[in-house]
Amino acid sequence: DVKVTQSSRYLVKRTGEKVFLECVQDMDHENMFWYRQDPGLGLRLIYFSYDVKMKEKGDIPEGYSVSREKKERFSLILESASTNQTSMYLCASSSQPQVYGYTFGSGTRLTVV
Amino acid sequence: DQQVKQNSPSLSVQEGRISILNCDYTNSMFDYFLWYKKYPAEGPTFLISISSIKDKNEDGRFTVFLNKSAKHLSLHIVPSQPGDSAVYFCAARWEGGKLIFGQGTELSVKP
């Protein structure tokens, strides 16, 4: 089974802190994605990457950056955490062709206080 | 602008009856549609998909119907079971494989 592992299930950070969310997949997938899930808004794409060192902005990239130094690891960075970034963050990966969509991690519930 | 919409935030169904979850989309360039199921504190898991060239796909108790002229798809679960209680997201695929998700519908199946 494909595994997508997110390093933390729950995280509490202070406003203004720099926050790193880590995601690792073990199936040699080319594509990796970061979403956030908020009630009534569904899953919104923050950033994605189709290859190492490559990144593309999704629909809501403001306040975030990403890093993909190795194929299996995709990190989401909150440069200066704010309370409106309190959310569930979901990492996903997929291979080409993507007939079956993504495999998601279990999510990180981030609270910014 | 929301390209994939699930207009019902919640649905309650009796065990054994049919659950019908609906999804509307605006972009005719989507080539695949998928349904994901999500339990609390877990990531979404893939449930069933349909190509834009088909109008129906069935997998056990789950059937997805696609009406391209109406830009509408639906997920039917028959018979519904309490373990089906979860949030269901529909998603549409385009532009090199990106998935656009709807807002989700929370299904509650009562015994």
Side-chain angles (χ1 to χ4, degrees):
Chain A
D1 273 356
V2 177
K3 282 230 168 84
V4 178
T5 304
Q6 295 183 231
S7 54
S8 304
R9 292 299 296 270
Y10 300 95
L11 217 48
V12 179
K13 295 292 181 181
R14 295 197 180 278
T15 301
E17 274 193 77
K18 191 167 186 175
V19 181
F20 293 85
L21 302 183
E22 306 289 344
C23 176
V24 177
Q25 49 94 4
D26 65 1
M27 284 300 290
D28 202 35
H29 281 175
E30 299 86 1
N31 312 315
M32 296 188 77
F33 307 84
W34 275 105
Y35 284 84
R36 62 179 280 178
Q37 181 198 356
D38 300 289
L41 297 175
L43 276 66
R44 293 180 293 165
L45 181 62
I46 304 171
Y47 266 97
F48 61 101
S49 169
Y50 287 152
D51 202 352
V52 176
K53 307 254 186 211
M54 175 268 178
K55 59 186 178 186
E56 293 277 352
K57 292 180 181 178
D59 300 319
I60 52 163
E62 296 78 20
Y64 303 94
S65 63
V66 289
S67 172
R68 193 161 181 205
E69 296 295 319
K70 293 185 178 181
K71 190 174 186 179
E72 68 270 18
R73 186 179 295 269
F74 192 36
S75 304
L76 180 69
I77 304 154
L78 285 66
E79 298 292 342
S80 176
S82 64
T83 54
N84 63 13
Q85 292 178 311
T86 291
S87 187
M88 168 70 85
Y89 289 88
L90 292 159
C91 174
S93 73
S94 72
S95 63
Q96 300 285 4
Q98 300 166 50
V99 177
Y100 300 109
Y102 305 164
T103 300
F104 281 89
S106 298
T108 296
R109 170 67 67 185
L110 173 67
T111 302
V112 182
V113 297
Chain B
D1 189 29
Q2 192 85 20
Q3 296 191 69
V4 178
K5 290 184 183 177
Q6 294 175 256
N7 292 316
S8 299
S10 62
L11 175 68
S12 183
V13 170
Q14 207 67 31
E15 181 179 5
R17 305 295 290 268
I18 184 171
S19 296
I20 300 176
L21 296 97
N22 294 302
C23 181
D24 297 299
Y25 62 95
T26 57
N27 192 333
S28 57
M29 299 301 291
F30 293 138
D31 66 348
Y32 247 91
F33 300 90
L34 305 92
W35 284 94
Y36 280 81
K37 177 179 179 180
K38 185 182 184 298
Y39 293 116
E42 293 183 15
T45 54
F46 170 76
L47 191 59
I48 191 169
S49 66
I50 186 167
S51 165
S52 60
I53 61 172
K54 302 218 168 159
D55 54 20
K56 178 182 174 182
N57 187 26
E58 195 170 350
D59 183 2
R61 296 186 298 114
F62 303 91
T63 303
V64 57
F65 295 92
L66 176 63
N67 182 334
K68 278 187 292 185
S69 61
K71 293 191 174 71
H72 177 83
L73 68 154
S74 59
L75 174 68
H76 293 211
I77 307 173
V78 183
S80 301
Q81 299 173 353
D84 296 329
S85 297
V87 177
Y88 289 78
F89 291 98
C90 83
R93 193 183 80 167
W94 74 315
E95 279 194 355
K98 276 196 306 184
L99 291 184
I100 311 294
F101 286 85
Q103 302 95 317
T105 296
E106 184 170 10
L107 173 66
S108 175
V109 180
K110 305 206 179 297

